[in-house]
Amino acid sequence: MISKKFIWEQFLKKEPSNIDFRSIIISGSDEYKAKAWEQFLEQKSSNTDDLIFIIMHGSDEYYKAKAWKQFLERGPSNNDICYIIKYGPTEYMAKAWKELLMRSPSDNSFCSIIVSGSIEYRAGAWKEFLKREPSNGEIRYIIRYGSTEYKAKASEELLKKEFHNIDLVCIIISGPEEYKIKAWEELLKREPIDNYFSEIAKEGPRKYKKKAKKLLKERKKIRASSKEKILKMLIE
């Protein structure tokens, strides 16, 4: 019978990849988990993605903890940390959240958590997001892709700021109905160029598509009528 030791030696001769070592760390026997971990750390190509994979999918808490320690030592990006906050095991979500708050993350990090993070971290991310005085573009991102609750919060926040036509169009297309009504009324007051209404006619909800198309049609008629009057005046 072929021994595991012989199989392991043959395995190493085949120049296994990080993925191969990860598989053993996650599912192998205790003896070969330890051997695979040592080999994994020696791999020059091992990176934070490999460590995240072990944190996410490992069944052995000992190696998850080792992977987390290595992860921090390698200086992970805010995106790496946000990934664990959004998709990691509960214990490591909490560790990653604490790590993120110790840094000076951009608003994009909090946008990402608000839009697709675990529900228990969305409120904290929203609070941190507002502290950093986000741009209109970052708030629009939440209106487009956030949950209904945060679409409403972001729409309300945007209407408090110095907003632009593009902000109003975003609310009309993606915001909750209460804020769509306000944004539509405000947009009409501004009498913007046709492009804004054309975008609503193309991307907006059915009700606002109809409104925008009707308005564009009326504008076209007025322009045609004005042109005819000018031509008449020139000819006469």
Side-chain angles (χ1 to χ4, degrees):
M1 184 178 175
I2 300 173
S3 68
K4 278 194 174 182
K5 182 180 177 182
F6 176 78
I7 295 170
W8 175 254
E9 288 168 354
Q10 293 302 306
F11 171 70
L12 293 181
K13 286 178 184 178
K14 301 289 184 184
E15 297 182 352
S17 68
N18 296 340
I19 293 173
D20 296 325
F21 287 123
R22 277 178 2 195
S23 298
I24 296 170
I25 293 165
I26 287 168
S27 306
S29 65
D30 288 345
E31 177 185 358
Y32 288 95
K33 277 181 181 178
K35 289 179 182 290
W37 177 255
E38 287 173 11
Q39 290 292 328
F40 173 76
L41 291 182
E42 288 176 12
Q43 295 279 95
K44 289 181 181 177
S45 59
S46 64
N47 54 43
T48 52
D49 287 345
D50 296 313
L51 293 164
I52 288 170
F53 190 89
I54 295 168
I55 292 165
M56 299 278 287
H57 304 289
S59 57
D60 190 320
E61 287 302 323
Y62 176 75
Y63 288 103
K64 280 188 180 184
K66 287 177 93 62
W68 174 255
K69 184 180 177 185
Q70 280 293 317
F71 174 74
L72 293 181
E73 286 176 2
R74 295 191 185 194
S77 69
N78 288 343
N79 285 343
D80 291 331
I81 291 170
C82 286
Y83 188 85
I84 295 175
I85 294 169
K86 290 192 285 185
Y87 308 114
T90 303
E91 177 186 353
Y92 289 93
M93 281 184 180
K95 289 177 184 286
W97 175 252
K98 185 177 178 181
E99 178 66 23
L100 185 67
L101 293 182
M102 285 165 49
R103 299 177 167 218
S104 298
S106 68
D107 293 328
N108 287 339
S109 298
F110 294 114
C111 275
S112 172
I113 296 166
I114 292 163
V115 167
S116 54
S118 173
I119 290 173
E120 65 185 295
Y121 291 101
R122 288 181 191 175
W126 175 254
K127 184 178 176 182
E128 293 295 327
F129 178 71
L130 292 183
K131 276 185 192 175
R132 287 162 172 76
E133 298 181 354
S135 69
N136 289 16
E138 288 161 339
I139 297 173
R140 289 199 304 270
Y141 181 85
I142 295 171
I143 294 170
R144 287 193 192 100
Y145 303 112
S147 65
T148 303
E149 178 185 359
Y150 286 95
K151 281 178 184 284
K153 286 178 182 287
S155 297
E156 183 176 359
E157 187 63 28
L158 194 53
L159 290 173
K160 288 179 190 173
K161 293 167 68 77
E162 185 179 338
F163 51 80
H164 307 287
N165 293 335
I166 192 171
D167 301 320
L168 297 170
V169 170
C170 177
I171 293 171
I172 292 164
I173 291 173
S174 304
E177 181 60 25
E178 175 188 355
Y179 297 97
K180 288 183 196 293
I181 293 167
K182 292 178 183 177
W184 178 259
E185 289 171 354
E186 187 61 42
L187 192 64
L188 290 180
K189 286 179 196 172
R190 294 176 170 221
E191 299 184 353
I193 59 173
D194 287 356
N195 289 0
Y196 295 105
F197 292 109
S198 295
E199 188 174 348
I200 295 167
K202 184 180 177 184
E203 304 290 342
R206 187 175 177 184
K207 174 181 172 181
Y208 290 93
K209 276 184 178 178
K210 287 177 73 175
K211 285 175 179 278
K213 285 177 181 177
K214 183 181 177 183
L215 187 144
L216 288 168
K217 194 173 179 181
E218 287 170 357
R219 282 186 167 191
K220 190 175 179 181
K221 278 183 183 178
I222 290 167
R223 282 196 291 267
S225 174
S226 298
K227 184 179 177 183
E228 283 178 18
K229 284 178 183 176
I230 291 167
L231 281 172
K232 271 188 180 182
M233 289 170 67
L234 290 172
I235 293 167
E236 287 174 355

